[in-house]
């Protein structure tokens, strides 16, 4: 889940989005703990026990929720021009997903 080390991000810099207080599950790092996730330029830039609210341009309260990487809804209508429900996945993913580095 973690994309970028804290050393590349100054304490005064703001994250585009901070997901606050969720229970982060990341089997790849053997992590299951309450963490805040800081996202900058569509990349996970921090995974910390507490990120100050003032460092976020936008906050998402995840208290009582699970936060985990890599889930894909296997039921998706991604066949554009086949039906009215079809979505152009290649065009939408850059705007609706966060990519790890």
């Amino acid at each position: 889940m973690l994309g970028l080390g804290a050393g590349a991000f100054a304490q005064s810099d703001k994250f585009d989005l901070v997901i606050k207080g969720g229970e982060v599950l990341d089997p790849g790092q053997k992590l299951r703990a309450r963490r805040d996730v800081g996202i900058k330029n569509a990349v996970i830039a921090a995974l910390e026990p507490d990120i100050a609210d003032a460092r976020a341009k936008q906050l998402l309260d995840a208290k009582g929720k699970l936060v985990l990487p890599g889930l894909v809804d296997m039921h998706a209508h991604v066949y554009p021009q086949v039906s009215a429900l079809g979505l152009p996945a290649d065009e939408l993913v850059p705007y609706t997903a966060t990519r790890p580095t």
Side-chain angles (χ1 to χ4, degrees), residues 1 9 15 30 32 35 50 54 62 67 73 76 78 83 97:
M1 177 179 262
F9 202 78
F15 296 102
K30 297 183 174 132
R32 181 174 185 158
R35 292 286 187 269
D50 185 43
V67 179
D73 182 355
V78 292
S83 84

Side-chain angles (χ1 to χ4, degrees), residues 78-90:
V78 292
Y79 36 84
Q81 301 172 353
V82 174
S83 84
L85 297 174
L87 298 173
D90 291 339

Side-chain angles (χ1 to χ4, degrees), residues 52-69:
D53 292 358
R55 293 187 64 201
K57 293 179 184 175
Q58 181 178 2
L59 285 170
L60 178 64
D61 182 7
K63 289 183 185 92
K65 306 234 180 342
L66 297 176
V67 179
L68 35 136

Side-chain angles (χ1 to χ4, degrees), residues 5-69:
F9 202 78
Q11 289 288 13
S12 61
D13 290 340
K14 286 199 173 216
F15 296 102
D16 298 324
L17 172 66
V18 173
I19 303 170
K20 292 286 291 183
E23 183 177 355
V24 173
L25 299 175
D26 187 353
Q29 293 190 59
K30 297 183 174 132
L31 174 66
R32 181 174 185 158
R34 199 216 54 84
R35 292 286 187 269
D36 292 350
V37 180
I39 299 171
K40 180 74 172 176
N41 297 326
V43 175
I44 296 170
L47 187 61
E48 301 174 9
D50 185 43
I51 297 174
D53 292 358
R55 293 187 64 201
K57 293 179 184 175
Q58 181 178 2
L59 285 170
L60 178 64
D61 182 7
K63 289 183 185 92
K65 306 234 180 342
L66 297 176
V67 179
L68 35 136

